[in-house]
Amino acid sequence: MEHIVIIGNGISGVTAARHIRKNSDKRITIVSSESKYFFSRTALMYIYMGHMKFEHTQPYENWFWKKNRIDLKQGFVTKIDVSNKSLLFSDDTTLIYDKLIIATGSKPNKFGWPGQDLDGVMGLYHKQDLENLEKFAPNNNFCKRAVIVGGGLIGIELAEMLRSRDIPVTFLVRESSFWNGVLPAQESEMINQHIKEHHIDLRLSTNLKEIKSDENGKVTSVIIEETGEEIACNVVGLTAGVTPNIDFLKESKIETKRGVLVNRFLETNVKDVYAIGDCAEQHEAIGQRRNIEAVWYTGRMMGETVAQTITGNKKAYNPGHWFNSAKFLDIEYQTYGWVFSERNKKDNEAYFQWKHSTKNICITISYDKDSHQFLGINTFGIRMRHEVFDKWLTEKKSIEFVLEYLVDANFDPEFYKKYEYEIIEKFNNETLGTVRKRKKSWKRIFKIA
């Protein structure tokens, strides 16, 4: 019986295993050194914040794996011998495969800072990071201050976690405004203010120089590059992005760059070896997407795709229109299509922006300034329907169409205040446009006379 071995039990690897089992009777083994059972990595923060227990993050009961004939092996792979189709583990045991899927995910970036490997320095990616956080920052008596290095989604999650236990946080962000390489200025500035409102010491245009320790190798402070200021702390969170976790492949014949290089079918240069998820790098980027996408839903899609190929239905990876969602403390964020920051805007791209006068609610709609084709939308504080925007992007609707029917995409619960009426008013005033308000359906929502 053909043996499929998957290294990594995150969303990519587990999705691949589940779909291979759905479509075949092949022998399947999932290898992981992190945890025996699959868990939702995106829920780690809620364990620390007391909203759930670790077992609540496991989507499947422990009996699920045996029932579905998916073997689980705990171990750390140190080397892949592609000539003999075998894996070597740190305990010197081996495992033979017929087909191999590499789904080893990411690890936090480190940039050679002095002290970056001290006790009390951690990322927020693995189960072990959560365990270290509990060890070094259980409360504000034990951890007097934490310093987070690197702005972005993981950094702001870690800040929220620490503040939930009233631990003071200093947040070092090298950019002049939070995540302004991704977000337009209006949105980035709104997040800056929101971070400060949560009593987080946000330091923009600030870089880490070094991390200092006591005689036992434990963090005591950080030094700021620009000013030489020393900030006393007990924990340092490294959240300056992630990089593919592929160090164990260096001596193999599997071609790598930043990640494991794959084609559209997620195949590597070695026969019967595939790579999916955060560790996979497309030879050529798909559309305007990055070659490496460290995103939960793309990992799931890759798992589904490679399972089809392995079970006889060869299928190219096609993730469709870009979308993502996140939470910046109390502000929910969604993006569909492409909305670039000012410094990355394309020549043909124009913005329409609306922001509430007092609340942290805003949108940015990107469109082609000549044809008015809708290109993408960012929403903060307004929930929108994915399937609606996916359809409008596919059908290349105009910004005028999107605004006229924007209420149809609104997914906020009943009785939430709706803002589409004033959004359209602003667009019409700015552009001398004539977007209709569809009064028949809007009367119910906005009580329009």
Side-chain angles (χ1 to χ4, degrees):
M1 182 182 296
E2 187 175 53
H3 186 198
I4 312 299
V5 174
I6 302 166
I7 308 176
N9 71 342
I11 184 63
S12 304
V14 165
T15 300
R18 287 180 50 247
H19 284 264
I20 291 169
R21 174 55 68 238
K22 283 181 180 180
N23 298 324
S24 76
D25 290 321
K26 298 177 189 293
R27 180 186 169 196
I28 303 170
T29 300
I30 299 177
V31 175
S32 174
S33 62
E34 181 181 15
S35 62
K36 183 174 182 180
Y37 299 112
F38 167 57
F39 66 93
S40 175
R41 196 174 303 282
T42 54
L44 283 176
M45 66 181 294
Y46 299 111
I47 302 170
Y48 183 85
M49 294 171 71
H51 298 171
M52 57 175 59
K53 296 179 180 179
F54 182 73
E55 53 266 31
H56 298 156
T57 70
Q58 297 174 194
Y60 307 106
E61 300 288 349
N62 293 350
W63 50 257
F64 171 88
W65 309 98
K66 185 175 181 180
K67 178 183 178 182
N68 287 278
R69 293 171 290 119
I70 298 173
D71 297 328
L72 305 178
K73 176 176 173 57
Q74 286 191 276
F76 185 81
V77 179
T78 58
K79 186 178 179 181
I80 298 177
D81 181 353
V82 296
S83 300
N84 294 304
K85 289 191 168 184
S86 69
L87 308 182
L88 176 67
F89 291 84
S90 56
D91 61 1
D92 292 329
T93 59
T94 59
L95 182 66
I96 303 299
Y97 66 85
D98 293 303
K99 285 187 170 67
L100 176 67
I101 301 172
I102 302 168
T104 48
S106 296
K107 59 181 181 178
N109 282 330
K110 293 183 178 181
F111 295 102
W113 295 297
Q116 66 184 17
D117 296 315
L118 293 168
D119 288 341
V121 180
M122 65 201 71
L124 180 61
Y125 187 87
H126 298 100
K127 179 175 181 281
Q128 287 73 20
D129 294 326
L130 181 65
E131 292 166 354
N132 280 330
L133 201 59
E134 285 287 3
K135 178 180 178 181
F136 293 105
N139 53 56
N140 59 11
N141 291 321
F142 195 87
C143 179
K144 301 297 184 183
R145 178 170 292 274
V147 173
I148 298 172
V149 182
L153 301 182
I154 297 176
I156 202 163
E157 282 186 359
L158 183 54
E160 182 177 1
M161 291 164 66
L162 291 160
R163 290 301 299 138
S164 75
R165 297 193 185 185
D166 294 322
I167 294 172
V169 174
T170 295
F171 199 176
L172 309 184
V173 176
R174 68 178 181 177
E175 291 82 14
S176 59
S177 185
F178 185 85
W179 222 30
N180 65 354
V182 177
L183 299 178
Q186 168 181 271
E187 300 165 1
S188 177
E189 178 56 32
M190 183 178 74
I191 301 301
N192 289 341
Q193 296 306 315
H194 190 60
I195 291 171
K196 293 174 183 177
E197 288 165 3
H198 279 73
H199 308 291
I200 295 167
D201 176 25
L202 177 63
R203 307 283 190 95
L204 299 172
S205 302
T206 303
N207 287 275
L208 173 68
K209 182 178 181 181
E210 67 174 300
I211 306 168
K212 304 188 80 170
S213 71
D214 61 18
E215 63 276 8
N216 299 315
K218 189 177 177 183
V219 169
T220 58
S221 64
V222 300
I223 305 296
I224 301 301
E225 176 75 46
E226 289 75 13
T227 63
E229 178 187 357
E230 184 171 7
I231 302 174
C233 61
N234 307 105
V235 162
V236 175
L238 300 182
T239 62
V242 294
T243 193
N245 182 24
I246 59 168
D247 290 346
F248 69 103
L249 297 177
K250 286 179 180 176
E251 296 180 12
S252 75
K253 297 177 182 176
I254 299 168
E255 188 178 358
T256 65
K257 201 172 179 181
R258 283 187 59 229
V260 184
L261 288 167
V262 295
N263 61 18
R264 289 291 192 268
F265 297 97
L266 306 169
E267 300 165 322
T268 70
N269 63 306
V270 175
K271 189 176 186 297
D272 296 330
V273 178
Y274 306 81
I276 58 176
D278 293 17
C279 68
E281 178 176 0
Q282 289 283 331
H283 280 282
E284 296 180 8
I286 299 174
Q288 297 187 79
R289 289 173 175 265
R290 295 180 178 179
N291 297 66
I292 300 172
E293 292 188 305
V295 181
W296 183 89
Y297 81 86
T298 57
R300 187 198 67 221
M301 286 180 174
M302 289 186 209
E304 294 174 357
T305 300
V306 79
Q308 291 292 319
T309 295
I310 283 176
T311 55
N313 178 28
K314 191 166 185 177
K315 186 176 180 182
Y317 171 58
N318 178 21
H321 298 296
W322 168 255
F323 69 94
N324 203 4
S325 63
K327 190 166 74 73
F328 297 97
L329 300 166
D330 300 327
I331 305 174
E332 293 186 30
Y333 158 70
Q334 292 174 290
T335 185
Y336 302 103
W338 295 109
V339 181
F340 296 102
S341 65
E342 280 85 355
R343 71 188 193 197
N344 294 317
K345 275 175 72 174
K346 311 302 180 186
D347 291 340
N348 67 315
E349 186 179 355
Y351 287 160
F352 165 67
Q353 295 185 300
W354 171 87
K355 184 179 184 305
H356 192 278
S357 58
T358 59
K359 299 178 181 178
N360 289 320
I361 300 173
C362 69
I363 68 166
T364 297
I365 299 178
S366 169
Y367 63 100
D368 186 287
K369 62 185 179 183
D370 297 321
S371 68
H372 281 211
Q373 179 184 327
F374 170 59
L375 301 175
I377 184 170
N378 286 351
T379 74
F380 289 78
I382 303 175
R383 296 174 189 169
M384 296 290 186
R385 298 179 188 275
H386 172 211
E387 65 274 14
V388 173
F389 282 109
D390 193 67
K391 182 173 185 286
W392 289 345
L393 287 163
T394 297
E395 294 175 352
K396 300 182 178 180
K397 296 296 187 183
S398 67
I399 182 174
E400 288 83 2
F401 178 94
V402 168
L403 286 168
E404 180 176 343
Y405 292 91
L406 192 61
V407 68
D408 295 340
N410 192 305
F411 194 48
D412 273 335
E414 192 176 6
F415 304 123
Y416 267 54
K417 181 173 170 56
K418 301 293 192 294
Y419 300 100
E420 286 80 358
Y421 187 87
E422 57 192 86
I423 290 170
I424 288 181
E425 285 286 292
K426 184 173 190 287
F427 179 82
N428 284 341
N429 290 337
E430 286 183 356
T431 65
L432 301 179
T434 56
V435 175
R436 295 182 303 158
K437 302 184 185 68
R438 294 195 304 130
K439 288 192 175 182
K440 182 177 180 181
S441 59
W442 285 53
K443 284 182 181 178
R444 172 178 53 85
I445 299 169
F446 297 105
K447 307 294 188 292
I448 300 172

